Amino acid sequence: MWHERALFDGQRKKLDSGFKPARQAYIICSFCSKSIASDSQRQDRRLANVARKATSCPSCRKPLPRCSLCLLNMVATGSKPKDTGGRVSSDQFGQWFTWCQSCRHGGHAHHIAEWFTGHQECPVTGCLCRCFSLDTLEKLKP
């Protein structure tokens, strides 16, 4: 259904140049449930060209999650991504946050993918979850 809506919005934009589709995905704080991206973007507009990365929620000031492997905060930036013709580059995808639906540990997609090339278990010390074996794609491998 998402694909059909995206096509519809694209066609409507061609007909009405003033049309701006509503946001369909948000980054929210897991503590206060307020949007992280919209707040950081509003602050970035006020700060003009100053590069700013949020390491905590602008509303409740609780820290954003950290990557289980590099331990850097999963940051929300207000900067615009590089124009790749509507496609997500592999560099951009590697910075996305991914996590286990069972133990909720996670990190940068490229770090997690690299970890699971040689491990079955969660990268967090003391966690006994076998995250990789829970993945449906793993079950499809011969």
Side-chain angles (χ1 to χ4, degrees):
M1 189 70 146
W2 182 89
H3 182 70
E4 287 80 11
R5 178 58 193 235
L7 290 173
F8 172 78
D9 286 344
Q11 292 299 322
R12 184 168 175 198
K13 178 81 173 161
K14 287 179 184 176
L15 296 172
D16 179 7
S17 61
F19 172 71
K20 185 176 181 181
R23 275 192 191 185
Q24 310 226 347
Y26 299 91
I27 301 172
I28 63 167
C29 174
S30 58
F31 296 102
C32 70
S33 298
K34 292 190 178 175
S35 176
I36 294 169
S38 63
D39 285 344
S40 67
Q41 287 170 355
R42 265 186 255 129
Q43 289 173 357
D44 280 346
R45 275 187 231 123
R46 281 187 267 137
L47 296 174
N49 294 329
V50 177
R52 173 181 151 69
K53 291 184 179 182
T55 57
S56 63
C57 172
S59 299
C60 69
R61 298 288 183 224
K62 297 267 186 172
L64 295 178
R66 292 181 182 265
C67 175
S68 299
L69 294 160
C70 72
L71 302 178
L72 293 176
N73 286 90
M74 304 305 297
V75 297
T77 65
S79 60
K80 292 182 181 178
K82 296 175 191 171
D83 184 15
T84 56
R87 295 186 180 153
V88 176
S89 72
S90 60
D91 289 341
Q92 288 173 313
F93 177 73
Q95 294 299 315
W96 289 9
F97 187 67
T98 186
W99 63 94
C100 172
Q101 294 295 309
S102 179
C103 68
R104 307 261 187 223
H105 295 131
H108 296 104
H110 66 284
H111 290 155
I112 298 297
E114 185 179 322
W115 173 264
F116 285 122
T117 60
H119 302 86
Q120 293 279 321
E121 72 283 348
C122 180
V124 175
T125 304
C127 182
L128 302 175
C129 184
R130 297 189 56 81
C131 306
F132 191 66
S133 63
L134 299 174
D135 190 349
T136 55
L137 292 176
E138 167 60 17
K139 294 175 184 172
L140 295 175
K141 288 184 180 177

